[in-house]
Amino acid sequence: MTSSSPRQPSEIPTMQPPSCTPSNIHKALIRRIRALIVQWEHLRMPSCAGPTQTTARGPARPLGSLRFIIWHNEDGNEEEEFSPTGEVTAESYPNWLRFHIGINRYELYSRHSLVLDALLKDLVTQKITSVAMKSGGTQLKLIMTFQNYGQALFKPMKQTREQETPPDFFYFSDFERHNAEIAAFHLDRILDFRRVPPVAGRLVNMTREIRDVTRDKKLWRTFFISPANNVCFYGECSYYCSTEHALCGKPDQIEGSLAAFLPDLNLAKRKTWRNPWRRSYHKRKKAEWEVDPDYCDEVKQTPPYDRGTRLLDVMDMTIFDFLMGNMDRHHYETFEKFGNDTFIIHLDNGRGFGKHSHDELSILVPLSQCCRVKKSTYVRLQLLAKEEYQLSSLMEESLLRDRLSPILIHPHLQAMDRRLRLVLQVLAGCIEKDGYVNVVEEDLAGDTSTHRSPGHR
């Protein structure tokens, strides 16, 4: 952008409406990717239990192998592609595919995953070949496809690191923050949950890497040149998609978060669950849990919370959200293949880290009502409260790896230490009231028979 005078949207140079005709693609690479995917193997993930590759919960089996896969060919027709006879090793798979096949019943990736760093590097270095708006949702999100056919969800920067959520904003009308998505991934790893898909920050050229490669006409039409001579766009969504809320580059560079896609729903279906402690999403009405102090007793008697670890996983999610200040956890998802005995995927964390000066104690209500926590989580929280393993210090060190560092300003880091102390205070009150064995659920022992149903507490 070298012109000294502002240009109108119609004056953007060398810009033609996107074509709906598929672009020329590397057919040989497509065939290679097909051959790799159809040979998905039953790989065992290294577990926290050590070299035996088993856990107290049993072997960590991945999503599984596929005998064949349905593809859409270039004419739009479905075709079946069967496994070729040649041997293909997992090391030759694209990093996004290696991430997908490593997902198992208990985690998205192992603690010592060899592919994670490579995938994070791909998110910030792979060439972007196409862009489209993600349908649904309240705010603009883009689906970006890379040269290696991996995909990621792009959330553009909407506010600076220093801006706090205005005090009069309702949680459901708050901005989604790209740096919150990045920080949530790092926090999830530090808490040893491994339930957030890999996320990395990237500086994107809005002209070359979004406008010029999109075939989404609705997105393309929203590009314009601002009076400050910057490239802007606003897309289509329920909130904040208008000229007044346009996303503008400097002059055409914008930062955002890129979250690696999970396996396609046709290959690994996910089930959506309503969070029992979902907020009312109404300006005046309260939810049932907000007025009934015994609400958890009802939840404990309702499937899938009456058995297994699901209620304890919700407590993990509660602690995770409280440390971030995220009030917007209305639903959660699980992989359908693993039934009810599997982990909760921690998706959509963009409304975290909005206020460092305020601790939203209502987020902790599930924990204070149920008084339940996994021993592994409790021990980890106690460790992160120690000065030598302080949560804020570990977060700061971890976030330095991201290309957009610094991701969080110091007040947000300090707020996490303060909130961690509040979580431990709630658990201490629960233990004093109900006793340690009735609050802390053993999940570190090798004997699974010691696990008791949360519905009977």
Side-chain angles (χ1 to χ4, degrees), residues 230-443:
N230 294 321
V231 177
C232 306
F233 72 101
Y234 53 85
E236 288 188 359
C237 62
S238 302
Y239 280 70
Y240 307 126
C241 281
S242 64
T243 307
E244 294 75 22
H245 297 101
L247 303 162
C248 296
K250 295 181 180 180
D252 60 355
Q253 302 285 316
I254 190 169
E255 63 178 62
S257 63
L258 277 164
F261 263 32
L262 293 173
D264 189 277
L265 292 175
N266 291 324
L267 299 176
K269 292 181 180 179
R270 301 196 298 272
K271 185 170 182 177
T272 300
W273 304 80
R274 182 187 174 100
N275 183 0
W277 282 272
R278 181 184 189 272
R279 295 178 185 274
S280 66
Y281 287 81
H282 192 280
K283 294 180 180 68
R284 292 176 296 277
K285 292 181 180 178
K286 289 183 177 292
E288 184 180 352
W289 59 267
E290 294 181 279
V291 296
D292 182 5
D294 298 321
Y295 176 77
C296 186
D297 293 337
E298 178 183 337
V299 175
K300 287 178 179 178
Q301 298 173 30
T302 306
Y305 308 101
D306 59 342
R307 59 173 299 276
T309 63
R310 181 63 59 85
L311 185 66
L312 294 163
D313 286 340
V314 171
M315 297 302 107
D316 284 349
M317 185 172 65
T318 295
I319 294 167
F320 176 61
D321 284 337
F322 179 68
L323 293 174
M324 295 190 297
N326 177 29
M327 301 172 66
D328 187 39
R329 190 69 68 184
H330 45 85
H331 289 83
Y332 63 83
E333 294 183 16
T334 60
F335 286 105
E336 194 173 280
K337 174 183 175 70
F338 301 134
N340 291 342
D341 298 320
T342 188
F343 66 97
I344 291 172
I345 310 169
H346 294 164
L347 298 172
D348 295 331
N349 305 299
R351 284 185 170 139
F353 299 103
K355 296 179 182 179
H356 54 71
S357 58
H358 172 72
D359 301 329
E360 184 53 54
L361 295 176
S362 64
I363 302 173
L364 272 185
V365 166
L367 187 66
S368 60
Q369 285 185 347
C370 297
C371 278
R372 299 293 314 288
V373 69
K374 294 177 184 175
K375 183 175 181 180
S376 59
T377 301
Y378 186 49
V379 170
R380 176 62 57 126
L381 295 177
Q382 290 177 312
L383 190 66
L384 293 172
K386 295 181 180 295
E387 187 174 351
E388 59 268 37
Y389 302 109
Q390 197 170 36
L391 175 57
S392 59
S393 297
L394 292 180
M395 277 290 289
E396 185 175 26
E397 182 180 344
S398 183
L399 290 170
L400 285 174
R401 297 181 175 184
D402 194 87
R403 295 283 183 92
L404 300 183
S405 178
I407 302 301
L408 296 176
I409 60 174
H410 276 282
H412 279 301
L413 296 169
Q414 294 163 355
M416 282 190 287
D417 288 335
R418 186 178 67 241
R419 291 165 187 164
L420 175 56
R421 291 193 292 270
L422 291 172
V423 172
L424 290 174
Q425 286 175 20
V426 169
L427 289 172
C430 288
I431 291 171
E432 183 178 355
K433 180 182 64 171
D434 298 332
Y436 182 90
V437 296
N438 292 315
V439 174
V440 181
E441 178 79 10
E442 176 62 72
D443 67 330

